[in-house]
Amino acid sequence: MKKAVILLITVLTATLAFSSCNKKSSVSVNGVPVSEGVYNYYYDIEKNSDEDKLSDVATYVAVNSEFKNRALSLSSEDKNEISQNVNNYWHVFSVYYNTIGVSKQDLQKIEESKKYKDAVMADYYSENGDEPVTDDELRSYFSENFIAFKAVTGYLPSGSDTDELEKQALLQNFTQYAGAVNDGASIDEVGAALENVNTDSDTVVIGKNDASYPDGFFDSVSAIEPGKTGAFIAGDYVYIVSREDVSGNDNLFSTYRIKCLKEFCGEEFDKKLSEISKAYKAVKK
């Protein structure tokens, strides 16, 4: 079993590979300059909190150094995802990023470091890692704590005059369409027949802790038998959901393995990373 980190090597040498050589910076980690834009990015995230504004920079360098020390590499899929994310974020937020002093190159480094963290975590919990987690453990967790589905999303009427009867009438209408899917119609056909709805034609996979859907959504989908379609209200929305079975689905498990590992071990790993990061001293002059 490998040791969690070789601190002496990390502190003395690995930091160098991940410092910024392109611009002068008043921020350094263990005496090595770090891009001012990287600091600005993390400062902007923590500016309204009581957190140490430099701790994220220290963790950033610690992650990058761990990635190098473990001789890890990113897949072509990871690199493509990084490129897409950077381009998308820059297209939408470039004016804001420029305002706070974050360049597109800085954003590239941040996105790379996020993938480095995923790779370090996967290595840490791999079969020959520091604290192995078996595929059987992860598959069991995936089956019990993740759902896969296709959905049609409608919006509940808003306004003070909206009453429960109106909501229930809309739910009843959606329930009838859910029955049509159970009788053989496709989720796309149902979505096309309804007005003012969004249709997820591709399979969506989320974990129990996913915050992108309203409270009660996960439990409502979990109550639907795999392979069946149901309708329900959650938050300000009414849904038609076709649930898919994640148990034994190797393709879904492979695709979402890292996401599953994050939910299974992410909190524990962050604590370990926090300990590792103590070997890194970030200073702003």
Side-chain angles (χ1 to χ4, degrees):
M1 180 180 294
K2 295 181 292 184
K3 293 182 179 179
V5 61
I6 304 175
L7 291 178
L8 287 177
I9 296 177
T10 297
V11 173
L12 295 175
T13 62
T15 306
L16 294 171
F18 298 97
S19 61
S20 171
C21 300
N22 297 324
K23 58 178 90 171
K24 293 182 179 180
S25 172
S26 59
V27 181
S28 63
V29 177
N30 293 350
V32 180
V34 175
S35 165
E36 183 77 10
V38 169
Y39 167 78
N40 291 339
Y41 177 91
Y42 288 117
Y43 179 88
D44 188 66
I45 293 175
E46 302 290 355
K47 63 185 178 184
N48 294 320
S49 75
D50 294 328
E51 295 294 323
D52 179 3
K53 304 302 187 293
L54 291 170
S55 63
D56 286 341
V57 179
T59 301
Y60 162 84
V61 175
V63 166
N64 294 355
S65 298
E66 277 292 289
F67 181 85
K68 182 175 185 295
N69 289 341
R70 292 170 179 265
L72 302 175
S73 61
L74 297 181
S75 67
S76 57
E77 291 82 2
D78 288 333
K79 293 177 182 178
N80 288 335
E81 185 176 341
I82 291 169
S83 179
Q84 290 176 4
N85 286 345
V86 170
N87 288 332
N88 290 339
Y89 295 153
W90 193 255
H91 177 73
V92 177
F93 301 114
S94 59
V95 173
Y96 181 73
Y97 283 135
N98 282 322
T99 300
I100 63 174
V102 175
S103 69
K104 191 174 184 180
Q105 183 182 20
D106 295 322
L107 193 59
Q108 175 82 18
K109 293 175 183 177
I110 298 295
E111 290 301 309
E112 285 175 347
S113 190
K114 291 177 182 178
K115 285 297 183 183
Y116 292 164
K117 181 181 177 181
D118 288 349
V120 172
M121 182 177 65
D123 185 64
Y124 189 91
Y125 293 110
S126 66
E127 181 180 358
N128 297 315
D130 305 74
E131 296 184 23
V133 173
T134 67
D135 264 9
D136 286 344
E137 289 178 279
L138 274 186
R139 287 179 186 275
S140 176
Y141 185 86
F142 186 67
S143 296
E144 295 173 4
N145 296 276
F146 279 75
I147 52 174
F149 59 90
K150 296 178 181 178
V152 174
T153 305
Y155 303 88
L156 291 177
S158 60
S160 59
D161 58 342
T162 300
D163 58 25
E164 191 64 26
L165 288 177
E166 192 174 355
K167 292 180 180 180
Q168 291 305 316
L170 183 59
L171 176 59
Q172 184 177 4
N173 185 40
F174 271 54
T175 300
Q176 291 177 344
Y177 277 102
V181 177
N182 286 324
D183 290 337
S186 71
I187 200 78
D188 288 326
E189 290 171 335
V190 166
L194 291 164
E195 296 182 353
N196 300 320
V197 298
N198 292 322
T199 302
D200 291 313
S201 301
D202 297 326
T203 299
V204 178
V205 177
I206 64 171
K208 183 178 291 185
N209 299 323
D210 195 300
S212 58
Y213 286 83
D215 290 343
F217 180 88
F218 186 93
D219 291 338
S220 295
V221 177
S222 297
I224 300 172
E225 181 183 346
K228 297 293 185 179
T229 301
F232 57 87
I233 290 174
D236 296 325
Y237 307 94
V238 56
Y239 296 93
I240 297 172
V241 174
S242 292
R243 185 184 176 192
E244 300 180 16
D245 193 358
V246 299
S247 301
N249 191 320
D250 290 338
N251 288 334
L252 282 183
F253 176 72
S254 177
T255 301
Y256 292 93
R257 190 180 189 282
I258 288 295
K259 186 174 182 178
C260 180
L261 185 62
K262 284 181 180 179
E263 287 212 6
F264 189 53
C265 301
E267 186 174 343
E268 175 191 24
F269 182 70
D270 283 343
K271 291 178 181 178
K272 296 181 183 300
L273 189 57
S274 179
E275 288 299 312
I276 293 172
S277 299
K278 290 179 180 179
Y280 297 83
K281 179 65 174 177
V283 176
K284 182 173 174 60
K285 298 179 180 180

